[in-house]
Amino acid sequence: NKNGLVGLKPTLGLVSRSGIIPIAHSQDTAGPMTRTVRDAAILLGALVGGDPRDPLSEKVASHAQADYTQFLTDEPLNGVRLGVAKQFLGRDPRVGELLETAVSQLKQLGAEIIEVKLDLPEELGNHEFTVLLYEFKADLNAYLASLGDNAPIKSMAELHAFNEAHAAEEMPYFGQELVTMALEKGELTDEAYLTALREGKRMAGKDGIDATLAEHNLDAIISATGGPAWLIDPVNGDSFSGSGSCSQPAAVSGYPHITLPMGHIAGLPIGLSFFAGAFSEPTLLRLAYAFEQATQARRAPRFLKTAVI
């Protein structure tokens, strides 16, 4: 989104998580970041498949496709029903204007657009954050331990102590609050973790994306991916508040999500997102491809010395 790329987050497990330096295994997902939807489809076909180092990938391997380019067609979107979720728009009205233009373009392609609102309780964010802290601790500990003598740091606790001892070099502009909070969590057998994981997936998946798709008989849900990129400010911190984002439901549920360019604000790319239920990659690729070919919204980077105002 921020870099004007096509980004595809596959269904959790469709691509092996082995080798990923972990943050949280219930969300960690590798996926294509490419210039075009066709490139994303090609790369996804090379990435998917069962891996004995990731049992989930073996469990869902039957959903993998050898060639995702077969779903990229020039056929119109007649009969396609899309729900536009405006609840994820931030405070920048220009993003909403771009989304309205994208909706009009999708209608011209034959799609029927229905305005929808996902029922996402406020507690969803708390559940997601709880899961993040528990899994961050457990997963990073396991990863560091797996490196053996190849790594001088063997645990999150050792990492935390090293950062504190070398704060001037390691953390001149930020702290390690999340590491500190994660260290205070218990094991993945704790009821607090299990409840947060279960309830978060239910809210985002079954009662969120799935329920919205079923209620309105939708093929996918669309929204603006987020707002424009912000400047880095090491003194006051990033100014990303209010930019909006629709990534949470697909991230927490483990469902696929594709974003591609739909326009620009002051030269900065703005993405359009398509997301749906588990293993809906073929549908999302088809929809994104149709939008991409009709709009050609992507602009090649110009490597400017300053932001365009």
Side-chain angles (χ1 to χ4, degrees):
N1 171 51
K2 297 293 188 288
N3 294 285
L5 297 173
V6 175
L8 172 57
K9 184 194 81 68
T11 303
L12 188 72
L14 195 62
V15 173
S16 173
R17 295 165 294 179
S18 176
I20 295 176
I21 298 177
I23 296 177
H25 65 261
S26 63
Q27 286 198 30
D28 287 343
T29 312
M33 292 187 290
T34 59
R35 289 180 296 178
T36 68
V37 175
R38 180 171 294 278
D39 285 351
I42 293 170
L43 184 53
L44 182 62
L47 291 172
V48 299
D51 178 357
R53 296 170 298 178
D54 183 354
L56 179 58
S57 71
E58 292 190 305
K59 182 179 179 181
V60 305
S62 61
H63 294 280
Q65 300 283 340
D67 178 15
Y68 284 91
T69 63
Q70 64 181 300
F71 305 107
L72 311 181
T73 73
D74 295 323
E75 297 295 321
L77 299 182
N78 297 334
V80 170
R81 289 172 58 87
L82 300 174
V84 57
K86 298 180 180 180
Q87 69 197 86
F88 303 110
L89 293 174
R91 295 193 293 266
D92 191 334
R94 297 172 295 179
V95 178
E97 292 168 1
L98 286 174
L99 180 60
E100 290 296 340
T101 299
V103 166
S104 297
Q105 292 165 328
L106 287 164
K107 287 180 178 179
Q108 292 173 15
L109 290 171
E112 183 179 358
I113 311 293
I114 302 95
E115 189 163 337
V116 301
K117 183 176 181 180
L118 281 73
D119 182 14
L120 301 173
E122 291 185 9
E123 300 95 317
L124 175 58
N126 295 330
H127 290 319
E128 181 183 19
F129 191 54
T130 295
V131 170
L132 166 69
L133 294 178
Y134 269 95
E135 292 186 353
F136 187 27
K137 176 184 177 181
D139 295 351
L140 190 62
N141 277 335
Y143 173 78
L144 292 172
S146 73
L147 300 178
D149 294 336
N150 294 323
I153 300 294
K154 301 294 191 299
S155 69
M156 177 180 276
E158 291 184 14
L159 175 65
H160 185 275
F162 179 88
N163 288 337
E164 290 296 328
H166 302 83
E169 300 88 355
E170 298 296 328
M171 303 183 294
Y173 304 119
F174 51 84
Q176 55 176 345
E177 295 87 355
L178 290 179
V179 177
T180 301
M181 296 172 69
L183 281 172
E184 296 172 353
K185 296 300 181 183
E187 304 299 322
L188 297 186
T189 53
D190 285 4
E191 186 59 35
Y193 164 73
L194 296 173
T195 297
L197 180 65
R198 180 181 65 251
E199 289 300 291
K201 286 189 174 296
R202 176 186 62 79
M203 291 175 180
K206 179 182 177 182
D207 294 348
I209 294 176
D210 292 338
T212 304
L213 293 171
E215 179 183 357
H216 301 281
N217 191 27
L218 303 175
D219 293 280
I221 300 165
I222 66 171
S223 190
T225 309
W230 51 85
L231 298 177
I232 295 173
D233 185 344
V235 177
N236 299 302
D238 292 348
S239 57
F240 57 81
S241 61
S243 64
S245 173
C246 67
S247 64
Q248 184 188 49
V252 176
S253 62
Y255 292 173
H257 177 173
I258 189 169
T259 177
L260 74 160
M262 71 169 175
H264 297 76
I265 294 176
L268 300 171
I270 303 296
L272 176 67
S273 286
F274 295 81
F275 54 97
F279 309 110
S280 59
E281 285 82 359
T283 296
L284 300 185
L285 284 165
R286 177 201 172 195
L287 298 171
Y289 182 76
F291 180 80
E292 174 193 62
Q293 294 304 299
T295 62
Q296 298 294 318
R298 177 185 179 269
R299 297 180 190 172
R302 291 179 289 167
F303 303 104
L304 301 176
K305 294 183 179 180
T306 186
V308 178
I309 304 297

